[in-house]
Amino acid sequence: MTKKTPQEQFKTTKQRRNGQEIIITGLKLPPPAKRIVLEQNHKKVLNAKITRINKNGSVSLTIKRINHLPKINQTRLHTEEVVFPGKYELRLNVKP
């Protein structure tokens, strides 16, 4: 079994920046997990909000912790709930 890269776990479809906030829209790919892994790109995430977007509306997920792994260039957003495959919006507040 090979490990998936961040691009194989969460596929970004749209990204925009609003000051210190980065808004990312994308697709979480299988398998279900309790985290979303992103490339760090030398930015430190101070806090985040994850929203699942589906046909019944939007559901916010509770962030348990944020791990920064600079040696492998990753930021991991751990949640209380299981993150199933589908469309998500991430709002990240980054350190300037």
Side-chain angles (χ1 to χ4, degrees):
M1 187 168 109
T2 61
K3 291 186 178 183
K4 290 189 173 188
T5 63
Q7 298 85 4
E8 294 171 335
Q9 295 176 18
F10 188 81
K11 187 171 193 155
T12 302
T13 56
K14 186 177 174 184
Q15 181 175 344
R16 62 186 189 273
R17 188 175 183 120
N18 184 10
Q20 294 179 1
E21 184 178 53
I22 298 173
I23 302 166
I24 302 171
T25 305
L27 296 171
K28 165 71 173 96
L29 302 173
K34 286 195 169 188
R35 70 180 180 196
I36 291 180
V37 181
L38 302 169
E39 283 189 22
Q40 191 168 355
N41 294 332
H42 308 291
K43 294 180 179 21
K44 183 160 182 158
V45 177
L46 301 175
N47 58 37
K49 181 180 177 186
I50 301 174
T51 307
R52 179 179 169 96
I53 303 166
N54 58 23
K55 62 182 178 183
N56 297 331
S58 300
V59 178
S60 292
L61 302 178
T62 307
I63 302 267
K64 189 178 353 182
R65 69 180 182 276
I66 300 171
N67 287 357
H68 300 281
L69 305 167
K71 286 190 177 183
I72 58 174
N73 195 30
Q74 286 184 358
T75 298
R76 295 181 181 172
L77 306 174
H78 294 265
T79 61
E80 293 284 335
E81 303 89 358
V82 175
V83 182
F84 291 100
K87 187 175 179 181
Y88 288 87
E89 180 181 82
L90 310 175
R91 291 182 172 265
L92 311 172
N93 287 322
V94 296
K95 187 175 182 178

